[in-house]
Amino acid sequence: MKALVIYTYPNHTSLNYAFLQKVIKGCQENLNIKELQVLDLYKENFNPVLVFNEYKRRRDMHVDSSIQKYREQITWADKIIFVYPIWWGRPPAMLIGYIDQLFASNFAYRDKKGLFPEGLLKGKSVVCVSTMKGPTHYPLIWLNNSHKILMKKALFSFVGIKKVKFFEFGNMESPTGNQEKKLEKVYQYFKRVGY
């Protein structure tokens, strides 16, 4: 199995970075994972801003040469792992901009006659590791699980990815947030996860 980790947080001394390190360590110790790539969107200076004009059209995003290497990473990966915070009930704008550009028509999905498009990323799996300052159940109770619905149904299912797992950790800025226990949980999961 080939795994791609997409990290979206600007600080390398943060708890999110600690989660990234646990994901990497677990993947490196996992006998099922033969190859691993890590994409740090902030370190990469990824430009999340969509630009469409008379020279750059939305329908041509699947062949945009400026993001070709990112398309190749997604194509290469069997498992895609996202590590990011939840800010205001959703992933950071940097990650949303990445998704807007990479999960484009004729790369991630293809329009066809009928109600639903054809997902072109079938066979891949996704794991989302996210942290938030608020309580663990805040997204469920106050936001009707909009984060998971956005990621699982509106995005991954749409492009053909059916196997999606979430780790949503709340109270991460609290002294009683059990950060070490949650870091260990993520490490153990990636150390033993199959496809």
Side-chain angles (χ1 to χ4, degrees):
M1 177 185 358
K2 295 174 285 191
L4 170 64
V5 182
I6 300 168
Y7 175 67
T8 312
Y9 198 78
N11 185 347
H12 283 198
T13 61
S14 66
L15 183 60
N16 275 274
Y17 192 72
F19 274 106
L20 171 66
Q21 296 309 306
K22 291 296 185 180
V23 168
I24 292 170
K25 184 178 180 193
C27 287
Q28 289 172 335
E29 295 176 12
N30 187 320
L31 297 177
N32 293 316
I33 297 176
K34 305 301 183 193
E35 296 179 65
L36 177 68
Q37 289 186 33
V38 178
L39 170 60
D40 182 335
L41 291 176
Y42 281 94
K43 189 175 178 182
E44 185 84 8
N45 289 317
F46 181 82
N47 183 359
V49 178
L50 282 174
V51 176
F52 298 124
N53 52 40
E54 61 272 21
Y55 307 107
K56 191 170 184 176
R57 298 174 188 217
R58 184 175 175 93
R59 67 175 174 249
D60 297 329
M61 286 177 58
H62 69 288
V63 292
D64 184 340
S65 60
S66 69
I67 56 173
Q68 174 64 28
K69 71 176 182 176
Y70 305 116
R71 284 194 303 274
E72 289 172 359
Q73 286 178 320
I74 291 172
T75 300
W76 169 87
D78 300 307
K79 183 176 287 296
I80 304 169
I81 304 155
F82 294 91
V83 180
Y84 58 93
I86 297 175
W87 291 334
W88 298 109
R90 54 142 184 90
M94 175 71 83
L95 181 54
I96 296 296
Y98 172 87
I99 289 167
D100 285 346
Q101 292 178 60
L102 271 297
F103 289 76
S105 176
N106 295 315
F107 172 71
Y109 69 94
R110 180 177 19 248
D111 290 321
K112 62 179 188 176
K113 291 182 180 178
L115 212 51
F116 298 102
E118 176 188 3
L120 300 177
L121 300 180
K122 293 177 185 139
K124 299 181 183 298
S125 62
V126 165
V127 180
C128 295
V129 179
S130 58
T131 62
M132 62 190 131
K133 178 180 179 179
T136 300
H137 299 296
Y138 175 79
L140 174 63
I141 295 167
W142 296 103
L143 302 173
N144 296 318
N145 240 0
S146 60
H147 165 248
K148 284 184 181 176
I149 291 169
L150 165 71
M151 298 300 277
K152 187 172 185 176
K153 293 186 179 179
L155 172 61
F156 299 128
S157 181
F158 194 84
V159 300
I161 300 172
K162 303 300 182 193
K163 190 172 180 185
V164 181
K165 179 162 181 63
F166 288 91
F167 289 97
E168 277 187 346
F169 298 118
N171 295 319
M172 288 294 88
E173 292 185 17
S174 167
T176 59
N178 293 316
Q179 289 87 346
E180 289 302 321
K181 184 177 178 182
K182 292 169 182 173
L183 286 164
E184 183 64 18
K185 180 177 182 178
V186 165
Y187 163 67
Q188 290 297 331
Y189 173 81
F190 284 101
K191 184 177 177 181
R192 69 179 190 277
V193 69
Y195 185 68

